Amino acid sequence: MKYAAKLSYDGSNFCGWQKQKGIEGSTVQETLENALAILDGRHVPVTVAGRTDKGVHAVGQVVSFCMSSNWEPEKIRNALDANLPESVTVLRVLGVPDNFSARHSALWREYVYFVWKEHGCPPHIRPFVWKNASQWDHGRIREVCSAIEGKHDFRAFCRLGDCPDNSIRTVIKASFSSRGPLCRVRVRGKSFLTNMIRILLGSIDLVATGKRDILWFESLLQGKSREDAGPTAPAMGLFLWKVGYEYSPLDRS
């Protein structure tokens, strides 16, 4: 029987989503598959909608997996929560058709990056924001968000050594909002390059502080190299927020 699950996790102490040989520390994938193995008595591989890097969080990550016997979805959710650390929570589980894939059935992924714009930051949100008190021009940020929408060559926004031959990606929507000192950049796209959102934020910071202009940023979208873009923003401010499907009961209210 095939199932889909919606997860939320604090990535602070994980070495990213994907389990890999030769790394020290646990990954979210390994942790979840170990919990599923306790339930099913065998290794249960999971397919994920979008991988997250070390220190990146998720609010609405989606996975799919097969169990060797039929389970009530709510029992799977309860059993997983009982066998997962507090940093990982299963929000919802449901049965899905055999042709459903958390990765390949996804229409888009949405990431949100949070920035705190004061020197003093409440300790309970400190692990989940980029503490950056520099003065930002909000109008310039909105210009950048408008510029990145559509199909562009995002090669300049991919980690060196991990850029594929085809670095063209489509951003469906990008927006900026703020409430007091808390700023939020939201980016929705079909797929993303490694570190793409974090490098975008590092480059946005340069434009927002007046160190670079919008023409510089727009030139980066023409396939320039990684060295031409801004620095990589810290991982702690980034969340995989939501994954979109043609129809997903996982998103019912």
Side-chain angles (χ1 to χ4, degrees), residues 109-127:
R109 289 92 174 151
E110 183 173 279
Y111 287 86
V112 176
Y113 196 100
F114 292 96
V115 184
W116 187 261
K117 302 302 294 182
E118 286 185 351
H119 291 288
C121 182
H124 60 285
I125 68 168
R126 182 67 184 89

Side-chain angles (χ1 to χ4, degrees), residues 121-178:
C121 182
H124 60 285
I125 68 168
R126 182 67 184 89
F128 307 108
V129 297
W130 178 16
K131 186 182 173 185
N132 176 346
S134 60
Q135 189 68 37
W136 272 8
D137 184 320
H138 292 183
R140 289 187 176 192
I141 301 174
R142 292 189 172 92
E143 283 188 77
V144 170
C145 288
S146 178
I148 67 175
E149 290 183 346
K151 183 182 290 187
H152 304 285
D153 189 339
F154 286 93
R155 180 170 298 274
F157 303 97
C158 184
R159 184 170 64 194
L160 280 174
D162 291 315
C163 197
D165 292 335
N166 181 8
S167 52
I168 294 175
R169 294 294 185 270
T170 299
V171 170
I172 299 169
K173 185 176 182 181
S175 63
F176 170 80
S177 61
S178 64

Side-chain angles (χ1 to χ4, degrees), residues 74-93:
E74 188 62 15
K75 288 186 177 180
I76 294 178
R77 196 207 70 78
N78 293 338
L80 283 175
D81 259 2
N83 287 282
L84 287 168
E86 291 185 356
S87 54
V88 184
T89 295
V90 179
L91 301 174
R92 191 166 294 136
V93 177

